[in-house]
Amino acid sequence: MPDLAAPAAIDLVAAQRRTVRVLAAGQVLSGVAFGSTLSLGALLAADLSGEESLSGFATASVTLGAALTAIPLARLAARRGRRIALTTGNVAALSGIALVILAASTRAFPLLLVGIALIGAGNAATLQSRFAATDLSTTARRGRDLATVVWATTVGGVVGPLLLAPGELLGASIGMPRLTGAYLFSLLAQACAFALYVLVLRPDPLLLAQRLDRERAPTARASPEVDRPRIARFAMLAVAASHVTMAAVMAMTPVHLAHIVAPDAVTVAVGVTISLHVFGMYGLSPVFGILADRVGRIPVILLGQVLLAVALTVASTAADSQTGVLIALLLLGLGWSAATVAGSALLTEATPLAARPRRQGRSDTLMTGSAAVGSVLAGLILGLVGYGGLALWAFVPIAVVCAGAVFVRSRPA
């Protein structure tokens, strides 16, 4: 079995390069799968429920699905390797896509939420790909290796939302329910990602790293890996809070755009806006990875908070302008990227290898669970104070991260 080959027979540098390439290709496919459908979630939820205030339940469901499965998938990865965990997520997402199409056909709002939650389980596996990129990475390259995999999502994430309009035409031509045609592209992309991980992700990076760690242990007792739980907790906080800020505003953007653009242009407006936002999330992640390696993880996390704050300022002052919303969503994605890349790298290096999958799973659970609650609240806040008011409320998580950074700077142990 390739995963059980003796480490002496493996070129670790080549294995890491291969791992990053495979994970990057998988992220492209996952980006198409999620980018072409998640932006439809809020519109489908509003359509099937008949209430715009319930549109936030779509994003809440996908994030809740990710939150509930992040730890089980991390534990599965620790026992069976990254490949098994990633393909399990693919199967969950494929099942969810089928349920979403069925829900739209039967006008069943609860079934829609179940399907979207299963898609969220697939997204949990996709999120863990960034950690898989660090299993065999050195400290000097951890940030950029992680960021390379995050960056790969740009291709699929930008292309995905642009497939909304073609997907609708394709779906209509074969009699699919309205707003579900793009899910055909998601089915194909998820199936291809499944095959990629099963056939090509060898050797499994986490299993190989665990074996190397066991074999090196007898000679490494004099300099064991240092566990820095306070730093790790701050990293989790930074990633989760930045994700809440991003998810709350992004989730309500399709609904808000439906009010400020012509009805026949909503699908195009949503597709273009989400594509630009996704580009912000992933397009410059290698830059943030290099910065995190060179100037430090915490400074880049704080840079992310600055970008998020500027985005919210634009969103609150130009809420009625489609151009303003576009700029805000781009900046929102950039801020999320900086904080997520640097925070994920910080969490990894603050945690010994044996504890990493478990702590990484907890981080993703906190991130997605908090975003699920934030998305539900975002729908309610949108109904009460509008899009601009929602942007102002989203400053709260930013303030929490900045306060946390001051605390760990003063007490880094």
Side-chain angles (χ1 to χ4, degrees), residues 323-363:
T323 300
V325 173
L326 279 168
I327 294 172
L329 266 288
L330 173 61
L331 292 171
L332 198 71
L334 290 171
W336 177 90
S337 181
T340 300
V341 167
S344 299
L346 181 63
L347 173 62
T348 298
E349 67 188 18
T351 307
L353 177 63
R356 280 177 194 167
R358 182 176 67 253
R359 202 171 274 177
Q360 289 164 351
R362 289 176 181 172
S363 177

PDB file of all heavy atoms in Angstrom, residues 323-363:
ATOM      1  N   THR A 323     -22.637  49.084  -7.315  1.00  0.00           N
ATOM      2  CA  THR A 323     -21.179  49.195  -7.350  1.00  0.00           C
ATOM      3  C   THR A 323     -20.601  49.179  -5.945  1.00  0.00           C
ATOM      4  O   THR A 323     -19.576  48.525  -5.681  1.00  0.00           O
ATOM      5  CB  THR A 323     -20.760  50.487  -8.065  1.00  0.00           C
ATOM      6  OG1 THR A 323     -21.269  50.478  -9.399  1.00  0.00           O
ATOM      7  CG2 THR A 323     -19.243  50.619  -8.108  1.00  0.00           C
ATOM      8  N   GLY A 324     -21.256  49.887  -5.028  1.00  0.00           N
ATOM      9  CA  GLY A 324     -20.803  49.898  -3.648  1.00  0.00           C
ATOM     10  C   GLY A 324     -20.831  48.518  -3.033  1.00  0.00           C
ATOM     11  O   GLY A 324     -19.902  48.113  -2.309  1.00  0.00           O
ATOM     12  N   VAL A 325     -21.893  47.764  -3.308  1.00  0.00           N
ATOM     13  CA  VAL A 325     -21.994  46.397  -2.789  1.00  0.00           C
ATOM     14  C   VAL A 325     -20.892  45.520  -3.381  1.00  0.00           C
ATOM     15  O   VAL A 325     -20.289  44.697  -2.679  1.00  0.00           O
ATOM     16  CB  VAL A 325     -23.390  45.815  -3.088  1.00  0.00           C
ATOM     17  CG1 VAL A 325     -23.451  44.334  -2.715  1.00  0.00           C
ATOM     18  CG2 VAL A 325     -24.460  46.588  -2.328  1.00  0.00           C
ATOM     19  N   LEU A 326     -20.608  45.692  -4.680  1.00  0.00           N
ATOM     20  CA  LEU A 326     -19.527  44.929  -5.312  1.00  0.00           C
ATOM     21  C   LEU A 326     -18.191  45.185  -4.623  1.00  0.00           C
ATOM     22  O   LEU A 326     -17.449  44.248  -4.303  1.00  0.00           O
ATOM     23  CB  LEU A 326     -19.428  45.307  -6.793  1.00  0.00           C
ATOM     24  CG  LEU A 326     -20.408  44.661  -7.764  1.00  0.00           C
ATOM     25  CD1 LEU A 326     -20.347  45.369  -9.111  1.00  0.00           C
ATOM     26  CD2 LEU A 326     -20.097  43.189  -7.939  1.00  0.00           C
ATOM     27  N   ILE A 327     -17.884  46.469  -4.387  1.00  0.00           N
ATOM     28  CA  ILE A 327     -16.609  46.820  -3.745  1.00  0.00           C
ATOM     29  C   ILE A 327     -16.555  46.262  -2.324  1.00  0.00           C
ATOM     30  O   ILE A 327     -15.539  45.708  -1.893  1.00  0.00           O
ATOM     31  CB  ILE A 327     -16.429  48.351  -3.734  1.00  0.00           C
ATOM     32  CG1 ILE A 327     -16.272  48.872  -5.171  1.00  0.00           C
ATOM     33  CG2 ILE A 327     -15.223  48.748  -2.885  1.00  0.00           C
ATOM     34  CD1 ILE A 327     -16.288  50.378  -5.286  1.00  0.00           C
ATOM     35  N   ALA A 328     -17.663  46.385  -1.603  1.00  0.00           N
ATOM     36  CA  ALA A 328     -17.710  45.891  -0.228  1.00  0.00           C
ATOM     37  C   ALA A 328     -17.486  44.384  -0.176  1.00  0.00           C
ATOM     38  O   ALA A 328     -16.739  43.877   0.680  1.00  0.00           O
ATOM     39  CB  ALA A 328     -19.047  46.254   0.410  1.00  0.00           C
ATOM     40  N   LEU A 329     -18.112  43.665  -1.091  1.00  0.00           N
ATOM     41  CA  LEU A 329     -17.964  42.203  -1.089  1.00  0.00           C
ATOM     42  C   LEU A 329     -16.553  41.765  -1.471  1.00  0.00           C
ATOM     43  O   LEU A 329     -16.037  40.770  -0.954  1.00  0.00           O
ATOM     44  CB  LEU A 329     -18.990  41.578  -2.020  1.00  0.00           C
ATOM     45  CG  LEU A 329     -20.311  41.116  -1.381  1.00  0.00           C
ATOM     46  CD1 LEU A 329     -20.113  39.869  -0.532  1.00  0.00           C
ATOM     47  CD2 LEU A 329     -20.941  42.219  -0.532  1.00  0.00           C
ATOM     48  N   LEU A 330     -15.901  42.515  -2.365  1.00  0.00           N
ATOM     49  CA  LEU A 330     -14.515  42.216  -2.714  1.00  0.00           C
ATOM     50  C   LEU A 330     -13.609  42.399  -1.498  1.00  0.00           C
ATOM     51  O   LEU A 330     -12.801  41.529  -1.161  1.00  0.00           O
ATOM     52  CB  LEU A 330     -14.049  43.123  -3.848  1.00  0.00           C
ATOM     53  CG  LEU A 330     -12.554  43.051  -4.211  1.00  0.00           C
ATOM     54  CD1 LEU A 330     -12.176  41.654  -4.673  1.00  0.00           C
ATOM     55  CD2 LEU A 330     -12.206  44.090  -5.268  1.00  0.00           C
ATOM     56  N   LEU A 331     -13.752  43.537  -0.817  1.00  0.00           N
ATOM     57  CA  LEU A 331     -12.937  43.809   0.368  1.00  0.00           C
ATOM     58  C   LEU A 331     -13.246  42.821   1.491  1.00  0.00           C
ATOM     59  O   LEU A 331     -12.347  42.410   2.236  1.00  0.00           O
ATOM     60  CB  LEU A 331     -13.176  45.244   0.840  1.00  0.00           C
ATOM     61  CG  LEU A 331     -12.660  46.346  -0.087  1.00  0.00           C
ATOM     62  CD1 LEU A 331     -13.160  47.708   0.382  1.00  0.00           C
ATOM     63  CD2 LEU A 331     -11.132  46.332  -0.127  1.00  0.00           C
ATOM     64  N   LEU A 332     -14.501  42.438   1.600  1.00  0.00           N
ATOM     65  CA  LEU A 332     -14.894  41.467   2.614  1.00  0.00           C
ATOM     66  C   LEU A 332     -14.165  40.138   2.385  1.00  0.00           C
ATOM     67  O   LEU A 332     -13.683  39.506   3.325  1.00  0.00           O
ATOM     68  CB  LEU A 332     -16.406  41.259   2.557  1.00  0.00           C
ATOM     69  CG  LEU A 332     -17.091  40.626   3.763  1.00  0.00           C
ATOM     70  CD1 LEU A 332     -17.096  41.601   4.940  1.00  0.00           C
ATOM     71  CD2 LEU A 332     -18.522  40.248   3.409  1.00  0.00           C
ATOM     72  N   GLY A 333     -14.082  39.731   1.122  1.00  0.00           N
ATOM     73  CA  GLY A 333     -13.364  38.505   0.797  1.00  0.00           C
ATOM     74  C   GLY A 333     -11.878  38.610   1.094  1.00  0.00           C
ATOM     75  O   GLY A 333     -11.268  37.655   1.611  1.00  0.00           O
ATOM     76  N   LEU A 334     -11.277  39.764   0.801  1.00  0.00           N
ATOM     77  CA  LEU A 334      -9.852  39.941   1.072  1.00  0.00           C
ATOM     78  C   LEU A 334      -9.558  39.869   2.571  1.00  0.00           C
ATOM     79  O   LEU A 334      -8.574  39.255   3.000  1.00  0.00           O
ATOM     80  CB  LEU A 334      -9.376  41.282   0.500  1.00  0.00           C
ATOM     81  CG  LEU A 334      -9.318  41.383  -1.030  1.00  0.00           C
ATOM     82  CD1 LEU A 334      -9.048  42.824  -1.459  1.00  0.00           C
ATOM     83  CD2 LEU A 334      -8.253  40.458  -1.596  1.00  0.00           C
ATOM     84  N   GLY A 335     -10.404  40.510   3.372  1.00  0.00           N
ATOM     85  CA  GLY A 335     -10.212  40.471   4.820  1.00  0.00           C
ATOM     86  C   GLY A 335     -10.334  39.066   5.370  1.00  0.00           C
ATOM     87  O   GLY A 335      -9.546  38.628   6.217  1.00  0.00           O
ATOM     88  N   TRP A 336     -11.334  38.331   4.884  1.00  0.00           N
ATOM     89  CA  TRP A 336     -11.503  36.936   5.300  1.00  0.00           C
ATOM     90  C   TRP A 336     -10.274  36.114   4.932  1.00  0.00           C
ATOM     91  O   TRP A 336      -9.804  35.299   5.727  1.00  0.00           O
ATOM     92  CB  TRP A 336     -12.735  36.356   4.613  1.00  0.00           C
ATOM     93  CG  TRP A 336     -12.973  34.905   4.904  1.00  0.00           C
ATOM     94  CD1 TRP A 336     -13.709  34.381   5.919  1.00  0.00           C
ATOM     95  CD2 TRP A 336     -12.458  33.782   4.158  1.00  0.00           C
ATOM     96  NE1 TRP A 336     -13.695  32.999   5.865  1.00  0.00           N
ATOM     97  CE2 TRP A 336     -12.932  32.610   4.797  1.00  0.00           C
ATOM     98  CE3 TRP A 336     -11.655  33.656   3.030  1.00  0.00           C
ATOM     99  CZ2 TRP A 336     -12.624  31.332   4.328  1.00  0.00           C
ATOM    100  CZ3 TRP A 336     -11.341  32.382   2.569  1.00  0.00           C
ATOM    101  CH2 TRP A 336     -11.829  31.243   3.210  1.00  0.00           C
ATOM    102  N   SER A 337      -9.744  36.323   3.743  1.00  0.00           N
ATOM    103  CA  SER A 337      -8.591  35.565   3.268  1.00  0.00           C
ATOM    104  C   SER A 337      -7.374  35.780   4.164  1.00  0.00           C
ATOM    105  O   SER A 337      -6.719  34.821   4.594  1.00  0.00           O
ATOM    106  CB  SER A 337      -8.257  35.964   1.830  1.00  0.00           C
ATOM    107  OG  SER A 337      -7.158  35.222   1.340  1.00  0.00           O
ATOM    108  N   ALA A 338      -7.072  37.023   4.462  1.00  0.00           N
ATOM    109  CA  ALA A 338      -5.906  37.320   5.292  1.00  0.00           C
ATOM    110  C   ALA A 338      -6.036  36.679   6.664  1.00  0.00           C
ATOM    111  O   ALA A 338      -5.102  36.036   7.162  1.00  0.00           O
ATOM    112  CB  ALA A 338      -5.739  38.832   5.427  1.00  0.00           C
ATOM    113  N   ALA A 339      -7.195  36.829   7.287  1.00  0.00           N
ATOM    114  CA  ALA A 339      -7.385  36.288   8.632  1.00  0.00           C
ATOM    115  C   ALA A 339      -7.410  34.764   8.642  1.00  0.00           C
ATOM    116  O   ALA A 339      -6.863  34.135   9.553  1.00  0.00           O
ATOM    117  CB  ALA A 339      -8.684  36.845   9.228  1.00  0.00           C
ATOM    118  N   THR A 340      -8.012  34.157   7.631  1.00  0.00           N
ATOM    119  CA  THR A 340      -8.138  32.706   7.602  1.00  0.00           C
ATOM    120  C   THR A 340      -6.804  32.027   7.312  1.00  0.00           C
ATOM    121  O   THR A 340      -6.443  31.026   7.958  1.00  0.00           O
ATOM    122  CB  THR A 340      -9.183  32.277   6.561  1.00  0.00           C
ATOM    123  OG1 THR A 340     -10.446  32.860   6.907  1.00  0.00           O
ATOM    124  CG2 THR A 340      -9.333  30.770   6.522  1.00  0.00           C
ATOM    125  N   VAL A 341      -6.061  32.547   6.349  1.00  0.00           N
ATOM    126  CA  VAL A 341      -4.755  31.949   6.023  1.00  0.00           C
ATOM    127  C   VAL A 341      -3.809  32.068   7.208  1.00  0.00           C
ATOM    128  O   VAL A 341      -3.196  31.085   7.649  1.00  0.00           O
ATOM    129  CB  VAL A 341      -4.164  32.620   4.772  1.00  0.00           C
ATOM    130  CG1 VAL A 341      -2.694  32.247   4.599  1.00  0.00           C
ATOM    131  CG2 VAL A 341      -4.953  32.228   3.530  1.00  0.00           C
ATOM    132  N   ALA A 342      -3.684  33.272   7.751  1.00  0.00           N
ATOM    133  CA  ALA A 342      -2.755  33.469   8.871  1.00  0.00           C
ATOM    134  C   ALA A 342      -3.234  32.745  10.124  1.00  0.00           C
ATOM    135  O   ALA A 342      -2.433  32.145  10.856  1.00  0.00           O
ATOM    136  CB  ALA A 342      -2.601  34.964   9.154  1.00  0.00           C
ATOM    137  N   GLY A 343      -4.542  32.785  10.396  1.00  0.00           N
ATOM    138  CA  GLY A 343      -5.067  32.114  11.580  1.00  0.00           C
ATOM    139  C   GLY A 343      -4.911  30.607  11.511  1.00  0.00           C
ATOM    140  O   GLY A 343      -4.577  29.956  12.511  1.00  0.00           O
ATOM    141  N   SER A 344      -5.148  30.023  10.345  1.00  0.00           N
ATOM    142  CA  SER A 344      -5.009  28.569  10.184  1.00  0.00           C
ATOM    143  C   SER A 344      -3.553  28.139  10.343  1.00  0.00           C
ATOM    144  O   SER A 344      -3.263  27.100  10.957  1.00  0.00           O
ATOM    145  CB  SER A 344      -5.545  28.139   8.822  1.00  0.00           C
ATOM    146  OG  SER A 344      -6.920  28.442   8.693  1.00  0.00           O
ATOM    147  N   ALA A 345      -2.628  28.921   9.784  1.00  0.00           N
ATOM    148  CA  ALA A 345      -1.204  28.613   9.943  1.00  0.00           C
ATOM    149  C   ALA A 345      -0.788  28.733  11.413  1.00  0.00           C
ATOM    150  O   ALA A 345      -0.027  27.906  11.926  1.00  0.00           O
ATOM    151  CB  ALA A 345      -0.364  29.538   9.074  1.00  0.00           C
ATOM    152  N   LEU A 346      -1.299  29.757  12.087  1.00  0.00           N
ATOM    153  CA  LEU A 346      -0.970  29.957  13.494  1.00  0.00           C
ATOM    154  C   LEU A 346      -1.487  28.797  14.350  1.00  0.00           C
ATOM    155  O   LEU A 346      -0.788  28.304  15.240  1.00  0.00           O
ATOM    156  CB  LEU A 346      -1.573  31.278  13.982  1.00  0.00           C
ATOM    157  CG  LEU A 346      -1.289  31.658  15.443  1.00  0.00           C
ATOM    158  CD1 LEU A 346       0.203  31.874  15.663  1.00  0.00           C
ATOM    159  CD2 LEU A 346      -2.074  32.929  15.819  1.00  0.00           C
ATOM    160  N   LEU A 347      -2.701  28.348  14.075  1.00  0.00           N
ATOM    161  CA  LEU A 347      -3.266  27.224  14.815  1.00  0.00           C
ATOM    162  C   LEU A 347      -2.424  25.966  14.629  1.00  0.00           C
ATOM    163  O   LEU A 347      -2.147  25.236  15.592  1.00  0.00           O
ATOM    164  CB  LEU A 347      -4.702  26.968  14.348  1.00  0.00           C
ATOM    165  CG  LEU A 347      -5.384  25.717  14.897  1.00  0.00           C
ATOM    166  CD1 LEU A 347      -5.508  25.790  16.414  1.00  0.00           C
ATOM    167  CD2 LEU A 347      -6.741  25.511  14.252  1.00  0.00           C
ATOM    168  N   THR A 348      -2.000  25.710  13.393  1.00  0.00           N
ATOM    169  CA  THR A 348      -1.218  24.505  13.105  1.00  0.00           C
ATOM    170  C   THR A 348       0.111  24.518  13.836  1.00  0.00           C
ATOM    171  O   THR A 348       0.502  23.533  14.461  1.00  0.00           O
ATOM    172  CB  THR A 348      -0.999  24.375  11.591  1.00  0.00           C
ATOM    173  OG1 THR A 348      -2.269  24.249  10.941  1.00  0.00           O
ATOM    174  CG2 THR A 348      -0.152  23.158  11.263  1.00  0.00           C
ATOM    175  N   GLU A 349       0.831  25.617  13.793  1.00  0.00           N
ATOM    176  CA  GLU A 349       2.158  25.636  14.393  1.00  0.00           C
ATOM    177  C   GLU A 349       2.113  25.781  15.918  1.00  0.00           C
ATOM    178  O   GLU A 349       3.124  25.532  16.585  1.00  0.00           O
ATOM    179  CB  GLU A 349       3.003  26.750  13.789  1.00  0.00           C
ATOM    180  CG  GLU A 349       2.544  28.151  14.102  1.00  0.00           C
ATOM    181  CD  GLU A 349       3.330  29.185  13.307  1.00  0.00           C
ATOM    182  OE1 GLU A 349       3.944  28.790  12.314  1.00  0.00           O
ATOM    183  OE2 GLU A 349       3.318  30.366  13.694  1.00  0.00           O
ATOM    184  N   ALA A 350       0.962  26.130  16.479  1.00  0.00           N
ATOM    185  CA  ALA A 350       0.833  26.217  17.933  1.00  0.00           C
ATOM    186  C   ALA A 350       0.394  24.893  18.547  1.00  0.00           C
ATOM    187  O   ALA A 350       0.201  24.810  19.761  1.00  0.00           O
ATOM    188  CB  ALA A 350      -0.173  27.314  18.297  1.00  0.00           C
ATOM    189  N   THR A 351       0.227  23.862  17.699  1.00  0.00           N
ATOM    190  CA  THR A 351      -0.325  22.586  18.148  1.00  0.00           C
ATOM    191  C   THR A 351       0.578  21.432  17.734  1.00  0.00           C
ATOM    192  O   THR A 351       0.952  21.323  16.559  1.00  0.00           O
ATOM    193  CB  THR A 351      -1.725  22.372  17.527  1.00  0.00           C
ATOM    194  OG1 THR A 351      -2.541  23.517  17.796  1.00  0.00           O
ATOM    195  CG2 THR A 351      -2.383  21.136  18.101  1.00  0.00           C
ATOM    196  N   PRO A 352       0.931  20.527  18.661  1.00  0.00           N
ATOM    197  CA  PRO A 352       1.712  19.333  18.288  1.00  0.00           C
ATOM    198  C   PRO A 352       0.949  18.469  17.292  1.00  0.00           C
ATOM    199  O   PRO A 352      -0.290  18.475  17.269  1.00  0.00           O
ATOM    200  CB  PRO A 352       1.893  18.598  19.626  1.00  0.00           C
ATOM    201  CG  PRO A 352       1.697  19.645  20.668  1.00  0.00           C
ATOM    202  CD  PRO A 352       0.704  20.607  20.105  1.00  0.00           C
ATOM    203  N   LEU A 353       1.684  17.701  16.480  1.00  0.00           N
ATOM    204  CA  LEU A 353       1.066  16.926  15.406  1.00  0.00           C
ATOM    205  C   LEU A 353      -0.043  16.008  15.912  1.00  0.00           C
ATOM    206  O   LEU A 353      -1.107  15.902  15.293  1.00  0.00           O
ATOM    207  CB  LEU A 353       2.136  16.093  14.692  1.00  0.00           C
ATOM    208  CG  LEU A 353       1.630  15.169  13.578  1.00  0.00           C
ATOM    209  CD1 LEU A 353       1.012  15.986  12.450  1.00  0.00           C
ATOM    210  CD2 LEU A 353       2.763  14.293  13.050  1.00  0.00           C
ATOM    211  N   ALA A 354       0.172  15.353  17.045  1.00  0.00           N
ATOM    212  CA  ALA A 354      -0.812  14.385  17.544  1.00  0.00           C
ATOM    213  C   ALA A 354      -2.157  15.029  17.843  1.00  0.00           C
ATOM    214  O   ALA A 354      -3.203  14.380  17.751  1.00  0.00           O
ATOM    215  CB  ALA A 354      -0.277  13.700  18.799  1.00  0.00           C
ATOM    216  N   ALA A 355      -2.147  16.304  18.199  1.00  0.00           N
ATOM    217  CA  ALA A 355      -3.387  16.988  18.573  1.00  0.00           C
ATOM    218  C   ALA A 355      -3.971  17.828  17.435  1.00  0.00           C
ATOM    219  O   ALA A 355      -5.054  18.392  17.581  1.00  0.00           O
ATOM    220  CB  ALA A 355      -3.140  17.882  19.789  1.00  0.00           C
ATOM    221  N   ARG A 356      -3.268  17.922  16.310  1.00  0.00           N
ATOM    222  CA  ARG A 356      -3.710  18.828  15.251  1.00  0.00           C
ATOM    223  C   ARG A 356      -5.059  18.485  14.641  1.00  0.00           C
ATOM    224  O   ARG A 356      -5.922  19.368  14.530  1.00  0.00           O
ATOM    225  CB  ARG A 356      -2.634  18.916  14.160  1.00  0.00           C
ATOM    226  CG  ARG A 356      -1.502  19.834  14.519  1.00  0.00           C
ATOM    227  CD  ARG A 356      -0.415  19.861  13.459  1.00  0.00           C
ATOM    228  NE  ARG A 356       0.798  20.478  13.985  1.00  0.00           N
ATOM    229  CZ  ARG A 356       1.973  20.429  13.387  1.00  0.00           C
ATOM    230  NH1 ARG A 356       2.106  19.766  12.240  1.00  0.00           N
ATOM    231  NH2 ARG A 356       3.024  21.008  13.931  1.00  0.00           N
ATOM    232  N   PRO A 357      -5.306  17.252  14.200  1.00  0.00           N
ATOM    233  CA  PRO A 357      -6.619  16.992  13.592  1.00  0.00           C
ATOM    234  C   PRO A 357      -7.776  17.349  14.521  1.00  0.00           C
ATOM    235  O   PRO A 357      -8.767  17.940  14.092  1.00  0.00           O
ATOM    236  CB  PRO A 357      -6.578  15.491  13.292  1.00  0.00           C
ATOM    237  CG  PRO A 357      -5.119  15.178  13.133  1.00  0.00           C
ATOM    238  CD  PRO A 357      -4.444  16.062  14.136  1.00  0.00           C
ATOM    239  N   ARG A 358      -7.650  16.982  15.797  1.00  0.00           N
ATOM    240  CA  ARG A 358      -8.722  17.271  16.746  1.00  0.00           C
ATOM    241  C   ARG A 358      -8.924  18.776  16.909  1.00  0.00           C
ATOM    242  O   ARG A 358     -10.053  19.279  16.866  1.00  0.00           O
ATOM    243  CB  ARG A 358      -8.398  16.645  18.096  1.00  0.00           C
ATOM    244  CG  ARG A 358      -9.491  16.857  19.148  1.00  0.00           C
ATOM    245  CD  ARG A 358      -9.174  16.139  20.446  1.00  0.00           C
ATOM    246  NE  ARG A 358      -8.010  16.723  21.130  1.00  0.00           N
ATOM    247  CZ  ARG A 358      -6.820  16.160  21.204  1.00  0.00           C
ATOM    248  NH1 ARG A 358      -6.606  14.990  20.625  1.00  0.00           N
ATOM    249  NH2 ARG A 358      -5.828  16.747  21.841  1.00  0.00           N
ATOM    250  N   ARG A 359      -7.828  19.514  17.078  1.00  0.00           N
ATOM    251  CA  ARG A 359      -7.950  20.961  17.285  1.00  0.00           C
ATOM    252  C   ARG A 359      -8.391  21.662  15.993  1.00  0.00           C
ATOM    253  O   ARG A 359      -9.142  22.629  16.039  1.00  0.00           O
ATOM    254  CB  ARG A 359      -6.608  21.509  17.783  1.00  0.00           C
ATOM    255  CG  ARG A 359      -6.725  22.819  18.521  1.00  0.00           C
ATOM    256  CD  ARG A 359      -5.404  23.205  19.182  1.00  0.00           C
ATOM    257  NE  ARG A 359      -5.244  22.611  20.493  1.00  0.00           N
ATOM    258  CZ  ARG A 359      -4.156  22.747  21.243  1.00  0.00           C
ATOM    259  NH1 ARG A 359      -3.119  23.443  20.782  1.00  0.00           N
ATOM    260  NH2 ARG A 359      -4.081  22.193  22.440  1.00  0.00           N
ATOM    261  N   GLN A 360      -7.931  21.164  14.871  1.00  0.00           N
ATOM    262  CA  GLN A 360      -8.378  21.738  13.592  1.00  0.00           C
ATOM    263  C   GLN A 360      -9.864  21.509  13.396  1.00  0.00           C
ATOM    264  O   GLN A 360     -10.581  22.387  12.901  1.00  0.00           O
ATOM    265  CB  GLN A 360      -7.570  21.114  12.449  1.00  0.00           C
ATOM    266  CG  GLN A 360      -6.123  21.571  12.416  1.00  0.00           C
ATOM    267  CD  GLN A 360      -5.231  20.682  11.557  1.00  0.00           C
ATOM    268  OE1 GLN A 360      -5.648  19.609  11.103  1.00  0.00           O
ATOM    269  NE2 GLN A 360      -4.010  21.122  11.313  1.00  0.00           N
ATOM    270  N   GLY A 361     -10.345  20.325  13.773  1.00  0.00           N
ATOM    271  CA  GLY A 361     -11.774  20.061  13.687  1.00  0.00           C
ATOM    272  C   GLY A 361     -12.573  20.975  14.589  1.00  0.00           C
ATOM    273  O   GLY A 361     -13.638  21.480  14.210  1.00  0.00           O
ATOM    274  N   ARG A 362     -12.079  21.205  15.793  1.00  0.00           N
ATOM    275  CA  ARG A 362     -12.762  22.121  16.708  1.00  0.00           C
ATOM    276  C   ARG A 362     -12.804  23.531  16.139  1.00  0.00           C
ATOM    277  O   ARG A 362     -13.808  24.242  16.278  1.00  0.00           O
ATOM    278  CB  ARG A 362     -12.053  22.131  18.060  1.00  0.00           C
ATOM    279  CG  ARG A 362     -12.232  20.851  18.869  1.00  0.00           C
ATOM    280  CD  ARG A 362     -11.410  20.913  20.141  1.00  0.00           C
ATOM    281  NE  ARG A 362     -11.549  19.690  20.939  1.00  0.00           N
ATOM    282  CZ  ARG A 362     -10.823  19.412  22.014  1.00  0.00           C
ATOM    283  NH1 ARG A 362      -9.896  20.283  22.421  1.00  0.00           N
ATOM    284  NH2 ARG A 362     -11.018  18.287  22.678  1.00  0.00           N
ATOM    285  N   SER A 363     -11.698  23.936  15.521  1.00  0.00           N
ATOM    286  CA  SER A 363     -11.655  25.268  14.926  1.00  0.00           C
ATOM    287  C   SER A 363     -12.714  25.423  13.840  1.00  0.00           C
ATOM    288  O   SER A 363     -13.439  26.423  13.788  1.00  0.00           O
ATOM    289  CB  SER A 363     -10.260  25.539  14.340  1.00  0.00           C
ATOM    290  OG  SER A 363     -10.213  26.799  13.696  1.00  0.00           O
TER     291      SER A 363
END
